[in-house]
Amino acid sequence: MLRNNFGTAEEGEPPDRLYMLAQCMTDLSVNECKTCYDLSNHALAGCLPNTGGRALFDGCFIRAENYSFFDETFQDKDFKHCSDNAEFNQKFNQTPEKVFKKLVKLAEHNDGFAVAKDSSNGFNGFTVFAMANCWRSLDSSKCSSCVENAANRAISCLPSSEGRVLNSGCVLRYSDYYFGNNPRALEIKESALKTASYIILALALFALIIMLGICAGKSSYRRIRHQRKSNGNVEK
């Protein structure tokens, strides 16, 4: 069922037709995804005899219903969990909103997956980490809408130091520690952004040098041409 850590399936005849979607977080390996999928599939079986159910682990998600839900973004019965631990630092409670804005932009343009962080300065400094992942059955517009909705719901968890939102089409989590499956995900993203910035800067400088060279060449050409005309006039 799972290819590239994602898969959908349909089986049976209406009204007993079963629709299923499973997806691992983008930062899981193929083997880690398989292990997580086996656990979530077993957990989903515990939903019987209900006509549908969802199971979310740190690394994967699985859902089954008796109707096609693949393009759903969010609905009233979506899940939110706020931790019991609280952080009453005013700056901490302002930081997640900044991180969520990054997630919405990144997820829309990064195949539905985004990680972001924001740090405070000072003696009692802290860092807020966040991750969002859309199900691949959504297009970029619906993904952005889903993550934005999840972000708005997650803000209501504050002052909890950690919160999770499971929407029909995506999942979002924030915390005061890094909880991702790939510790280098943030480093890779930041490195890529820095590299892109350096490339853009280098291209801009290169273009500027070319423009300056062209302008200097034209100026020299005009000066030489003027001198030749002047010399010609003197000789006559």
Side-chain angles (χ1 to χ4, degrees), residues 209-219:
I209 292 171
I210 291 176
M211 291 298 295
L212 290 174
I214 292 173
C215 292
K218 287 183 177 180
S219 178

Side-chain angles (χ1 to χ4, degrees), residues 23-41:
Q23 180 171 324
C24 289
M25 303 307 166
T26 304
D27 57 348
L28 251 65
S29 68
V30 175
N31 289 334
E32 289 172 333
C33 178
K34 185 179 183 306
T35 300
C36 193
Y37 171 71
D38 290 340
L39 289 172
S40 61
N41 194 31

Side-chain angles (χ1 to χ4, degrees), residues 99-100 102-103 106 114-118 128-131 186 189:
V99 180
F100 294 157
K102 296 179 184 178
L103 286 183
L106 288 171
V115 288
K117 67 177 182 178
D118 200 293
V128 175
F129 299 91
M131 177 184 292
L186 282 165
K189 182 180 76 67

Side-chain angles (χ1 to χ4, degrees), residues 99-120:
V99 180
F100 294 157
K101 288 181 179 179
K102 296 179 184 178
L103 286 183
V104 174
K105 293 181 180 179
L106 288 171
E108 182 178 6
H109 303 290
N110 191 42
D111 295 328
F113 178 74
V115 288
K117 67 177 182 178
D118 200 293
S119 302
S120 72

